[in-house]
Amino acid sequence: MKVHIVDNNNISSYRREIETMHKHRKAMFVDRLKWAELNTTADLEIDEFDHEYCKYLILIDDSGAVLGSCRLTPTDKPNVTTDKLGKFFDNNIARSANVWEVSRWLPSPGIRELNEKCNKMMMLALFEFGHMQRLNYMVSCVGRIVTSAIARARVPIQRMYEPKKYPEGIAFGIEIAPNAHNLNFLRNNFGMPDPVLIYRYYKIGTTKLQSYAQLPWGYVASNADTVDTVSV
């Protein structure tokens, strides 16, 4: 079981997983939580911030099932946090390539034990991603359920803003610093010393492979069809 990074370069290899993710988002945020402002297309939840600049973290088990996901976007590109949710951060979010938002956090809808493991892997994946990208910090607007999960997991929070109301409840703006110290703390706390992230690039010629080699991950395994990398 790994958390896969899906972006504009490899998304064509994850069509089924991306569709499943959008179905899960619709079931959670539209059908269950009743978020009034969300747009839906058939049984999918997709909005204007699902664009070429965002990346997805998708937790996929060994059978290919999607067990969790979230969306990551640099704040210097269109994103839901700075464009629509600034009040939860007192309108204090920097628009920068070194600050990313986390949105549409969606753990597995399975049993409690599975949910706990999935949440820990997804949280660890956030810190691995942010550390690899050398981000200053990451921001997210979270409700009470996610806030409770963060507290139970003892995830280091750099700053938590005062809670504010929205039509469906109360939410908190939070900032996390994905530095090496916090990453190692989580790995020790979760008992997960090995990287959970993987970036899989399906080779389609020399040009794309050269482009791929410039990414800040080291090679781990390769064969005739794919190249896999994980965080360091």
Side-chain angles (χ1 to χ4, degrees):
M1 184 158 62
K2 287 285 188 180
V3 180
H4 294 240
I5 302 171
V6 180
D7 61 18
N8 204 41
N9 292 314
N10 66 358
I11 194 170
S12 62
S13 300
Y14 287 90
R15 293 300 183 190
R16 181 186 64 82
E17 291 82 4
I18 289 291
E19 181 178 3
T20 300
M21 177 193 71
H22 287 298
K23 287 181 178 179
H24 287 177
R25 281 169 41 171
K26 199 264 185 180
M28 173 61 75
F29 301 122
V30 178
D31 298 338
R32 180 178 173 182
L33 297 181
K34 310 294 184 184
W35 287 4
E37 295 185 1
L38 296 188
N39 298 318
T40 61
T41 303
D43 57 350
L44 309 179
E45 189 278 305
I46 302 173
D47 68 11
E48 66 268 33
F49 303 110
D50 291 298
H51 49 58
E52 62 181 309
Y53 301 108
C54 73
K55 299 180 187 289
Y56 303 100
L57 300 185
I58 303 181
L59 178 59
I60 304 173
D61 72 8
D62 295 340
S63 71
V66 173
L67 298 182
S69 62
C70 68
R71 180 176 64 193
L72 307 177
T73 313
T75 57
D76 63 344
K77 303 297 183 185
N79 69 92
V80 67
T81 301
T82 52
D83 291 4
K84 292 189 175 183
L85 303 176
K87 72 173 186 177
F88 293 95
F89 300 85
D90 299 334
N91 297 307
N92 195 33
I93 304 175
R95 287 189 177 270
S96 168
N98 293 319
V99 177
W100 286 52
E101 68 137 19
V102 183
S103 60
R104 297 300 194 267
W105 180 270
L106 188 60
S108 165
I111 59 176
R112 180 178 178 84
E113 290 78 9
L114 180 61
N115 267 330
E116 290 293 334
K117 182 176 182 179
C118 290
N119 267 321
K120 287 179 178 178
M121 290 190 69
M122 289 295 295
M123 290 175 186
L124 190 52
L126 283 181
F127 279 78
E128 286 185 16
F129 178 87
H131 178 52
M132 289 188 301
Q133 296 287 336
R134 299 179 176 85
L135 302 184
N136 293 339
Y137 60 95
M138 305 174 82
V139 298
S140 188
C141 189
V142 297
R144 292 188 183 275
I145 294 176
V146 176
T147 303
S148 297
I150 290 173
R152 287 197 305 273
R154 297 173 61 201
V155 175
I157 300 297
Q158 177 170 282
R159 181 176 182 182
M160 177 175 285
Y161 291 80
E162 290 296 321
K164 293 182 175 61
K165 293 182 178 180
Y166 69 105
E168 290 78 27
I170 294 176
F172 303 77
I174 63 171
E175 298 176 4
I176 62 173
N179 53 47
H181 174 79
N182 288 337
L183 173 58
N184 289 330
F185 171 83
L186 279 187
R187 283 179 170 164
N188 291 330
N189 185 37
F190 293 168
M192 297 178 177
D194 298 322
V196 300
L197 274 182
I198 187 170
Y199 186 93
R200 177 164 292 167
Y201 197 101
Y202 288 76
K203 295 189 293 185
I204 315 178
T206 304
T207 301
K208 287 197 173 183
L209 180 58
Q210 289 175 341
S211 175
Y212 163 82
Q214 296 172 7
L215 293 172
W217 294 277
Y219 288 110
V220 171
S222 64
N223 56 44
D225 300 315
T226 67
V227 173
D228 290 352
T229 67
V230 297
S231 58
V232 294

